[in-house]
């Protein structure tokens, strides 16, 4: 085992954190109607299109900047002052205050939290500032679902509406010149052109979306997870007993949100996870999720059979008071389901699932998580912690996919969803895992039905088991499909899955693969605004605006580095070809020459157009084109 | 432009070539009934499972070796003697001879081929040996389709049958202990348990599969491309005028087949492409495809309008006599379709398509490829070159997907398929490109109908445009789906797509992503035998047989390197955990403990099992399990 650290090297931490803005990009904010609703976007500046119409200087056509969804928080805003040792500013503090339904606590109420705080040996691991501690006033329920069901549009909901509305975030000029998006196929998802605060409220009230935002995590920028919003991506970080310290994990947090993590789960095990979590929460602008069972198991020195409800309850309160926004709770692993895994190829592969199975068998009784579920709800609503009901019996191999153990647990998760909703507590449902392509959709269909459309949150799924070292790819393939079918959030997988703890680069590789999957799902569902990004890349590509193509890429650094590997000279950045095909064989260049040739040779006219099937979405443009049939290219 | 090389450094070439067998693997051959049919497989040896049943030495259960499809040729057989300067042995020479329908030519019949041969300045670029040159006897047709339609099962067809039959390739013990494969969904594909030579013949006769095998490429190991066989992957190699020489390209060929390329396209442009191709063909155990138009364009110094039928015809003969197995022919780019691309976001992105569009417009006449299609067929059947009808108007962006230009061309490709089939010439159809997820299936559906189930061969498709630098991933996502829907061969995309010429590592990265896609498609279609590989990986994983997991991985080197990054010690290879979760949190370990606990505590019994839905494929096992209900784990 690695030696556990005894202090945090804040100089080292500050050096690690990446704070550079993205190339050619700036942070812009769009205000909402409610006070303090100021929603960040990344605005990518683009260069002009040069139109060559004969000899002399080309005409310049401006390309409006593109605004994209931005989960990177203040770190990419050069104007933001950030002190890692004190944490981010509390964006939501005033909103929470104004609701008047929380009370400020004099101190931590969990036994373990107090014990850690009272241990002077840990002072070198603690941050410089302590946050204000809040809890719902007695009898109050501070969940976003509770507000939504009473018809209240909170600032959090308005923030989400502005954030999701990529169409509105674009300038008017872009809208007027935009290529029509492809007709989507959303399998029943509701694709609004214009996402309103009221729509967000109705989705949260209905339980079809969640906004994970603990009152003790006011630093977070509200975001929604739901089938009728953009598909989100979660990144898992956290040390294990074998490797990694607090500095690495905070750095991974900032790095993960730079590459698009919409939420981050801190899955730390080993010592000091209370303190590690505090550093992560105070510096995180995205919701943080945890699996409290991991810490509970540490408290009983890894002996699952020694877990108990009082110990677990204290852990929930400890973490809720730190500000964790969602808890994975494996309450669906019931005693009777454990034998269903007996003839599996890979048994139980969820850590939480295997811990609970061991507890159930050892005590030969029903899971304490299942039996105390109502009491857990009481804690959740006192802080607004969202459930992420864990799929402890998810399949760990193609052979075990969609089996009876998995679906038995899913039905229990649906039952528990209804219990949580009776408490107005937000819920999402975790899903697999390892599933071959042809069985992926069944997971979504069954989940939507069994869990009443509560947001689905899946790990991949990997669509084959043969790819250790490349499981980010095989799982992102499954993720693109399951996102398209209706999964609301995709939990990433890194190249190290099944092999070791991911490092910084693994985190990035996992995120890029999953952001591609999520964006592809958005496109496929027909989200208005999603295709604008693709169009901007493709237009830049066709016009040889290399710098624009790099800065529009999902990873500008890599795109530029790959291009420069073979054509590093500055003038190659304006060249009308790249090294892949060379100058004579660049189809884009020839295609432009075709247009230019037609322009200079107006006498060249094609025969009458054949009657061909016209794609519906392009119908109008095709008609318009035929009407001006005598000109090949305008 | 880079300086073109004047000689081949054979020492350098021999040093580059990778000839090591895969870890823990050996080449095995299975004989067919016909003489010389000796089909290679890679056999992966596995260690024993250790069953701990109490104190003392564990009981050992052997795991039978796994045999997997192997396109890597003699390079991974340490017993094979290979001289790169003379090329591989002619596996098929005796079969071609025995058919008696070819004549040996006294020399090259193409004007360009003779011109190159007569140029003494090129002697340092030539190989040490010249192959025997063959052509069909006058009036004969030497295509596999022609034989198939006359009811002849050729050795090539039998070779394919043995090769595709992964079930039969496995040992009897494995079959008896194997986990049932998941029920597939093949969208109408025929999934045989037992693939017979007669089935291969009938598929080739019907045009639903092709076996690209030019009589002048006897070095190739026959393989089939068709919807009712394993999904194949093509890798593009070839230098451009900007970079790379013959040594690099031959090395890329061997490297590409090592990582699973089923066919390789040589897309070289620039000088010396005749000689480069000769080196590639003579050393290739997989079919080689080309786009003859590229070389034709070089011959007219890049001026598309100077292309002509006689020049193109000479190029076809030149390449057919070298042994190219399939030609991409862009005969579907008709004059009337060019204007349909006018309002596209990215115009024409196929090199061949843009060249032909430019020619058509410049001459204001129908494409010479379309007009001379019958004559091209005459050449194809004289050498058995297979058509790969190019999709010159494929979409180059999400905005242009599934548009009228694309589908107009597809219908022409269907018309040309029927013409080729009248000549008993083999045909496959190329497909896109850039297509959002929800429009991918329409491509397969329309292709199957328009082209009468001729094998579909698609480039990706990329399911978003925003991923330059990671287009191997976004396109492999599309490829997994389109392979599942019925595409027979997937043309890989490397990380350098849109940015530059791929290097050796890019070739590998592209191939791994695509082999994952192809295998996932095989699994999803329900190919008997595909899931055996997944099961072997998962069983090794569950039993902590780390070395077995590495050698079974799609890329053993990377899997082991990633594991060793955090736990490099030798004893970690037998550890029952990895650095991802550490020892206390390994679910697989806990899951095994659960089984062990149950074994040691037979008094612990679960409640009566709940009535849950039982997945059909597991039905029998589930019934069997219920019958022994009083034992949790056997």
């Amino acid at each position: 085992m690695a030696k556990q650290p005894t202090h945090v090297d804040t100089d080292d931490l500050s050096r690690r954190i990446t704070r550079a803005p993205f190339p050619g990009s700036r942070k812009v904010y769009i205000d909402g109607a409610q006070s303090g609703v100021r929603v960040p976007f990344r605005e990518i500046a683009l260069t002009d299109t040069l139109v060559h119409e004969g000899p002399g200087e080309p005409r310049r056509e401006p390309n409006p900047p593109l605004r994209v969804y931005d989960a990177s928080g203040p770190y990419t805003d050069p104007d933001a002052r950030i002190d890692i040792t004190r944490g981010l500013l509390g964006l939501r503090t005033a909103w929470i205050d104004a609701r008047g339904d929380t009370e400020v606590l004099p101190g931590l109420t969990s036994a373990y939290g107090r014990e850690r705080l009272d241990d002077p040996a840990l002072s070198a691991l603690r941050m410089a500032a302590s946050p204000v501690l809040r809890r719902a006033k007695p009898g109050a329920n501070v969940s976003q679902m509770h507000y939504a069901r009473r018809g209240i549009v909170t600032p959090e909901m308005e923030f989400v509406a502005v954030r999701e509305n990529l169409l509105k975030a674009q300038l008017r000029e872009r809208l007027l010149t935009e290529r029509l998006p492809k007709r989507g196929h959303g399998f029943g998802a509701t694709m609004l052109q214009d996402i309103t605060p009221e729509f967000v409220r109705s989705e949260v009230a209905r339980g079809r979306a969640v906004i994970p935002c603990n009152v003790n995590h006011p630093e977070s920028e509200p975001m929604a997870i739901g089938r009728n919003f953009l598909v989100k991506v979660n990144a898992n970080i956290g040390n294990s007993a074998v490797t990694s310290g607090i500095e690495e994990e905070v750095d991974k947090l900032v790095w993960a949100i730079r590459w698009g993590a919409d939420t981050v789960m801190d899955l730390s095990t080993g010592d000091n996870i209370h303190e590690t979590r505090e550093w992560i929460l105070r510096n995180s602008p995205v919701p943080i999720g945890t699996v409290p069972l991991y810490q509970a198991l540490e408290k009983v020195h890894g002996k699952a059979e020694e877990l108990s409800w009082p110990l677990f309850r204290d852990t929930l309160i400890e973490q809720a008071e730190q500000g964790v926004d969602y808890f994975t709770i494996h309450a669906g692993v019931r005693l009777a389901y454990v034998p269903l895994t007996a003839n599996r190829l890979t048994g139980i592969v969820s850590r939480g699932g295997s811990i609970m199975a061991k507890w159930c068998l050892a005590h030969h009784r029903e899971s304490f998580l299942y039996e105390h579920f109502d009491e857990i709800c009481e804690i959740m609503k006192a802080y607004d912690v969202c459930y992420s009901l864990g799929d402890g019996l998810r399949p760990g191999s193609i052979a075990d996919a969609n089996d009876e153990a998995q679906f038995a647990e899913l039905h229990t998760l649906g039952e528990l969803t209804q219990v949580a909703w009776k408490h107005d507590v937000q819920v999402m449902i975790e899903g697999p895992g390892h599933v071959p392509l042809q069985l992926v959709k069944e997971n979504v269909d069954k989940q939507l039905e069994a869990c009443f459309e509560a947001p689905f949150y899946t790990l991949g799924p990997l669509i084959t088991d043969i790819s250790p070292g490349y499981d980010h790819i095989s799982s992102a393939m499954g993720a693109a499909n399951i996102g398209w079918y209706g999964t609301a959030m995709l939990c990433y997988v890194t190249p190290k899955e099944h092999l070791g703890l991911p490092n910084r680069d693994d985190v990035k590789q996992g995120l890029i693969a999953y952001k591609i999957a999520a964006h592809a799902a958005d496109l496929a569902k027909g989200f208005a605004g999603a295709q604008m990004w693709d169009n901007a890349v493709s237009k830049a590509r066709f016009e040889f605006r290399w710098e624009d193509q790099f800065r529009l890429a999902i990873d500008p650094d890599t795109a530029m580095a790959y291009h420069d590997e073979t054509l590093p000279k500055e003038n190659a950045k304006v060249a009308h070809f790249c090294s892949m095909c060379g100058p004579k064989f660049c189809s884009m260049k020839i295609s432009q020459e075709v247009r230019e040739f037609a322009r200079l040779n107006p006498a060249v006219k094609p025969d009458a157009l054949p009657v061909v099937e016209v794609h519906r979405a392009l119908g109008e443009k095709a008609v318009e084109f035929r009407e001006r049939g005598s000109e090949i290219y305008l």
Side-chain angles (χ1 to χ4, degrees), chain A:
Chain A
M1 300 302 96
K3 194 162 170 294
Q4 293 289 332
T6 53
H7 78 290
V8 174
D9 183 342
T10 53
D11 287 343
D12 174 55
L13 182 50
S14 299
R15 268 194 309 273
R16 285 170 185 264
I17 299 292
T18 304
R19 284 218 47 194
F22 285 99
S25 302
R26 67 187 185 109
K27 185 82 90 177
V28 297
Y29 295 90
I30 297 182
D31 291 338
Q34 299 190 59
S35 170
V37 175
R38 191 166 168 264
V39 183
F41 290 87
R42 173 180 155 211
E43 186 176 273
I44 307 168
L46 301 175
T47 61
D48 295 344
T49 296
L50 303 181
V51 185
H52 299 268
E53 284 171 328
E57 279 295 296
R59 185 163 55 79
R60 287 178 171 275
E61 274 178 4
N63 287 294
L66 182 77
R67 290 181 179 178
V68 297
Y69 192 102
D70 183 2
S72 65
Y75 296 99
T76 50
D77 183 348
D79 297 334
R81 281 190 303 182
I82 296 176
D83 178 351
I84 299 277
T85 65
R86 309 187 76 87
L88 300 176
L89 295 177
L91 166 74
R92 295 168 53 237
T93 305
W95 306 341
I96 297 163
D97 268 345
R99 287 195 277 261
D101 51 3
T102 52
E103 58 187 6
V104 174
L105 297 174
L108 298 171
T109 73
S110 68
Y112 187 80
R114 282 197 307 270
E115 184 189 310
R116 295 297 288 190
L117 198 62
D118 294 345
D119 185 346
L122 298 173
S123 64
L125 283 175
R126 279 194 280 269
M127 298 183 64
S130 296
V132 172
L133 256 182
R134 275 168 215 281
R135 187 175 63 191
K137 286 178 177 167
N141 180 338
V142 298
S143 87
Q144 292 289 319
M145 185 179 222
H146 187 65
Y147 304 135
R149 287 182 163 182
R150 287 188 298 157
I152 298 169
V153 175
T154 61
E156 285 87 346
M157 295 170 200
E158 196 197 2
F159 194 102
V160 162
V162 174
R163 201 165 197 191
E164 293 278 340
N165 207 329
L166 291 180
L167 265 183
K168 265 207 174 158
Q170 304 306 321
L171 303 177
R172 186 171 163 73
E173 306 92 85
R174 172 168 295 279
L175 285 180
L176 291 177
T177 60
E178 196 53 57
R179 200 53 61 144
L180 291 174
K182 294 289 173 187
R183 181 179 295 262
H185 179 43
F187 299 98
T190 308
M191 304 293 122
L192 291 189
Q193 292 281 340
D194 191 18
I195 292 160
T196 62
E198 168 54 26
F199 178 69
V200 176
R201 186 205 61 74
S202 70
E203 289 292 294
V204 173
R206 167 75 181 70
R208 201 152 49 197
V210 296
I211 303 177
C213 52
N214 187 321
V215 293
N216 288 316
H217 188 204
E219 302 91 346
S220 78
E221 297 171 343
M223 54 78 70
I225 301 163
R227 182 159 68 111
N228 296 328
F229 299 109
L230 294 163
V231 175
K232 304 303 187 298
V233 170
N234 172 71
N236 291 337
I237 62 169
N239 59 342
S240 78
V242 179
T243 179
S244 191
I246 288 177
E247 297 86 347
E248 285 102 311
E249 296 311 316
V250 176
D251 173 41
K252 274 189 207 164
L253 163 76
V254 177
W255 188 239
I257 61 174
R258 179 177 184 84
W259 298 111
D262 293 292
T263 77
V264 167
M265 289 193 80
D266 173 15
L267 302 185
S268 292
T269 56
D271 296 338
N272 303 330
I273 52 185
H274 179 90
E275 290 70 27
T276 303
R277 188 164 50 234
E278 186 70 19
W279 281 89
I280 289 174
L281 273 160
R282 299 287 75 77
N283 286 296
S284 174
V286 304
I288 297 295
T290 62
V291 186
L293 196 60
Y294 295 175
Q295 191 183 5
L297 189 71
E298 290 287 358
K299 292 176 184 175
V300 294
H301 312 292
K303 294 182 182 145
E305 56 277 23
E306 293 185 8
L307 288 167
S308 68
W309 165 241
L311 178 111
F312 187 76
R313 184 179 182 282
D314 192 70
T315 307
L316 294 182
I317 292 170
E318 171 204 343
Q319 297 198 10
E321 292 188 351
Q322 285 189 293
V324 174
D325 300 289
Y326 62 91
F327 285 156
T328 294
I329 303 284
H330 295 92
V333 181
R334 299 188 59 182
L335 175 63
Y337 302 157
V338 179
L340 298 181
T341 65
N343 63 342
R344 278 183 161 183
L345 186 61
T346 50
I348 301 174
V349 298
S350 147
R351 295 194 221 174
S354 61
I355 294 165
M356 287 313 299
K358 197 171 174 186
W359 189 92
C360 289
L361 282 190
H363 295 271
H364 191 227
R365 56 175 293 183
E366 190 56 88
S367 151
F368 63 84
L369 298 174
Y370 183 81
E371 292 194 329
H372 292 274
F373 197 76
D374 270 306
E375 288 163 82
I376 301 175
C377 290
E378 295 294 342
I379 298 170
M380 305 299 258
K381 67 189 181 193
Y383 303 92
D384 197 9
V385 184
C386 172
Y387 273 113
S388 184
L389 293 176
D391 57 335
L393 302 182
R394 68 168 173 269
S397 58
I398 293 298
D400 294 341
N402 294 27
D403 73 352
E404 52 180 347
Q406 183 194 336
F407 288 139
E409 181 186 34
L410 181 64
H411 281 97
T412 297
L413 300 186
E415 177 199 323
L416 296 172
T417 298
Q418 288 190 303
V419 175
W421 284 356
K422 272 188 203 144
H423 288 271
D424 289 357
V425 168
Q426 306 191 90
V427 180
M428 51 186 175
I429 309 291
E430 296 185 9
H434 292 240
V435 184
L437 264 180
Q438 84 278 17
L439 299 184
V440 171
K441 189 157 183 298
E442 186 183 26
N443 279 275
V444 180
D445 294 344
K446 279 198 161 37
Q447 187 273 341
L448 288 175
E449 193 193 336
C451 302
F452 314 98
E453 300 185 76
F456 202 23
Y457 167 30
T458 63
L459 177 68
L462 282 81
I463 57 175
T464 173
D465 306 336
I466 67 169
S467 53
Y470 300 85
D471 282 343
H472 63 310
I473 296 179
S474 52
S475 66
M477 289 171 177
N481 277 34
I482 210 165
W484 173 29
Y485 299 149
T487 291
M489 185 155 76
L490 308 170
C491 182
Y492 87 165
V493 165
T494 78
K496 291 277 171 60
E497 184 76 15
H498 299 117
L499 297 169
L501 195 73
N503 62 23
R504 202 176 193 260
D505 188 54
D506 296 321
V507 166
K508 178 176 170 181
Q509 294 302 318
L511 273 164
I512 298 284
Y514 272 72
K515 292 303 280 187
I516 292 171
H519 181 74
D522 291 337
L523 278 181
K525 289 167 80 175
F527 264 115
Q531 198 184 307
M532 287 184 178
W533 191 355
D534 297 71
N535 291 355
V537 174
S538 290
K539 189 167 188 283
R541 181 173 290 156
F542 192 64
E543 295 170 356
F544 298 101
R545 289 184 279 115
W546 286 103
E547 292 287 359
D548 286 358
Q549 201 184 151
F550 301 150
R551 61 177 64 165
L552 284 164
I554 198 161
D555 173 6
D557 308 340
T558 299
M560 189 184 302
Y562 280 3
H563 175 269
D564 290 2
E565 218 172 88
T566 43
L567 281 180
K569 294 193 195 107
E570 266 312 301
N571 61 8
K573 300 276 176 28
V574 292
H576 280 202
F577 60 90
C578 75
S579 70
M580 184 163 179
C581 306
K584 278 190 295 197
F585 283 92
C586 178
S587 62
M588 299 243 177
K589 180 161 176 278
I590 300 174
S591 198
Q592 291 199 346
E593 285 172 12
V594 167
R595 292 193 183 183
E596 179 66 4
F597 179 90
R599 199 182 61 76
L600 296 174
N601 298 275
V604 175
K605 286 168 192 159
D607 297 328
L609 291 173
V611 179
V612 292
E613 191 189 328
V614 177
H615 191 264
R616 267 184 304 175
L618 288 175
E620 282 183 33
K621 285 194 182 261
V623 169
E624 178 199 64
F625 172 70
R626 283 209 198 80
E627 284 168 358
R628 54 171 212 243
S630 59
E631 293 288 320
I632 309 172
Y633 291 115
L634 289 183

